[in-house]
Amino acid sequence: MSSWGEGRNDDAWRMDPSRTAVFVGTQDMLLSRLLMRGYGESRAQWPVSFGLLHSGVQFVFDETQLMGPGLPTSAQLQGLREKLGTGAPSRSMWMSATLAPQEVCTPDHCEVRGVVELGEDDRVGGLAVRLNAVRQVERVEVPELAAAYPAGVAQVLVARHVPGTRTIAAFNTVERAVAVQAALAKLVRRGGPEVVLLHSRFRPPEREGLMDELKAPLSAAGQIVISTQVLEAGVELSSRVLFTEAALFSSVVQRAGRCNRAGEFPEGANLLWSPPPTGRGQYAPYEPEDVETAVEALTLSGLAAP
């Protein structure tokens, strides 16, 4: 097994390409090599990686909702391999809780060969508890104007937080997350819930410290986590109360998966939401129509949804 970008030892796979190998990497490292523009590689290595990675490889693309243009690129490359032929067959698998089959249909990848889903035998035991976990979906009233929005959301979080549990609030931009955390710090008194801010701009050592805080046992007062999209992938958290701004609907679904994640609250948990505040950057980083679609879907969900 090798991780791209961690050191020069990962060059050994080119010296013995017939040997079975497992690679773990990000989409920029992989797709750039498949496009013969290997990120971090010398130009002389581009055709070597290109040739080896397009033959006899099983690709697994996880968290597809975060891939952006990398998703259709990966599908089109699979279609071209099948259409043009390669030294050995290759396969591609896309893993997501929110991906529709048509999203991986491109001019040269027109057919999805199969969809792996849960069967009836899978829906028992501990997994059944997770699948049947209840979340009460509710729109909360917060100020629409950007200037008053952070304080209004902070007040909602304090009012709805349940001592001894975790509350998560997910925002679409780092700036709003930071502003809400600052407003929350003014409301939470000594002995109140711990407030943790999590976003992508922390340096690795700082983020490791934050992850240690999130893994620690909760105090009697509990914890309020202010986050951005970083919690949508690779962060194993659950909450009794979760607040989210309306966003791309697949992102909302991913965030909702951090509410009563393991079904540990049999009486149900609360999924709170509101549209993002008006003003500059209201819909960033999403398209306005995507956010409005999510608002409509969340409104139609009613007051209770499993």
Side-chain angles (χ1 to χ4, degrees), residues 97-247:
T98 58
L99 183 67
Q102 60 267 26
E103 293 183 63
V104 290
C105 290
T106 67
D108 289 299
H109 187 258
C110 308
E111 179 184 0
V112 177
R113 300 289 177 82
V115 178
V116 179
E117 297 179 318
L118 295 176
E120 291 303 318
D121 293 340
D122 300 313
R123 300 177 181 273
V124 296
L127 183 57
V129 175
R130 285 179 174 263
L131 294 175
N132 296 324
V134 175
R135 304 164 184 87
Q136 303 292 328
V137 182
E138 176 186 348
R139 176 170 177 169
V140 293
E141 297 301 324
V142 296
E144 294 183 1
L145 296 178
Y149 179 82
V153 174
Q155 291 173 356
V156 169
L157 295 177
V158 170
R160 302 298 293 268
H161 175 70
V162 178
T165 69
R166 176 181 292 112
T167 294
I168 295 176
F171 299 90
N172 299 343
T173 67
V174 173
E175 290 74 20
R176 283 205 291 272
V178 171
V180 171
Q181 189 271 341
L184 193 60
K186 298 177 181 178
L187 294 178
V188 175
R189 299 179 179 181
R190 179 176 297 181
E194 176 190 20
V195 178
V196 179
L197 176 64
L198 183 65
H199 56 69
S200 60
R201 297 182 187 175
F202 285 110
R203 294 172 298 183
E206 296 167 336
R207 187 170 182 180
E208 288 179 9
L210 291 171
M211 296 308 296
D212 290 339
E213 291 185 45
L214 296 177
K215 294 176 183 178
L218 295 175
S219 66
Q223 185 182 75
I224 300 178
V225 179
I226 308 298
S227 182
T228 58
Q229 294 90 334
V230 295
L231 65 78
E232 295 177 22
V235 179
E236 186 68 24
L237 285 182
S238 185
S239 62
R240 170 64 175 76
V241 175
L242 186 141
F243 168 86
T244 179
E245 293 181 329

Side-chain angles (χ1 to χ4, degrees), residues 31-54:
L31 294 177
S32 64
R33 284 159 173 76
L34 291 174
L35 295 170
M36 206 159 68
R37 291 295 185 274
Y39 181 78
E41 284 190 318
S42 67
R43 294 177 66 94
Q45 294 289 357
W46 288 356
V48 179
S49 296
F50 176 85
L52 293 177
L53 290 175
H54 275 296

